[in-house]
Amino acid sequence: MPRLDRFIQALHEHKAQELVLAPGQPASLLLGGTARPITRDPLTAAQITALVREIGPAGSGAEAPQHFAYAAPGGRVQVESVQGQG
């Protein structure tokens, strides 16, 4: 099971608008316009890339922005990966 699935499950359980993974910040859920951390430690760019690669389409690279659908056990989500922000 991809590691990102537990974050997606939290997204659905809390009825959050977004799951935000940004380098140098803890993973967080956007609830009512406010970011609520769901991890204690900040994520690195390499960790985020690894998480997205686990669920991304075959052959997708980390260099370019990506947008794809993913059916996690906790529910279907739209994934948007934007590089160069953080």
Side-chain angles (χ1 to χ4, degrees):
M1 174 189 321
R3 294 171 291 167
L4 199 54
D5 285 353
R6 68 184 177 105
F7 295 136
I8 294 169
Q9 182 176 350
L11 169 86
H12 288 294
E13 286 175 358
H14 294 283
K15 296 180 174 55
Q17 294 88 23
E18 293 181 15
L19 166 64
V20 180
L21 306 175
Q25 300 293 320
S28 61
L29 297 176
L30 188 62
L31 294 161
T34 303
R36 308 266 186 208
I38 58 172
T39 62
R40 184 179 2 199
D41 297 325
L43 299 171
T44 66
Q47 287 173 313
I48 295 167
T49 298
L51 289 168
V52 174
R53 277 191 178 158
E54 285 185 347
I55 65 167
S60 63
E63 301 79 30
Q66 301 178 54
H67 190 267
F68 57 91
Y70 173 65
R76 189 171 179 82
V77 295
Q78 292 295 317
V79 177
E80 182 176 357
S81 171
V82 180
Q83 305 303 315
Q85 294 185 355

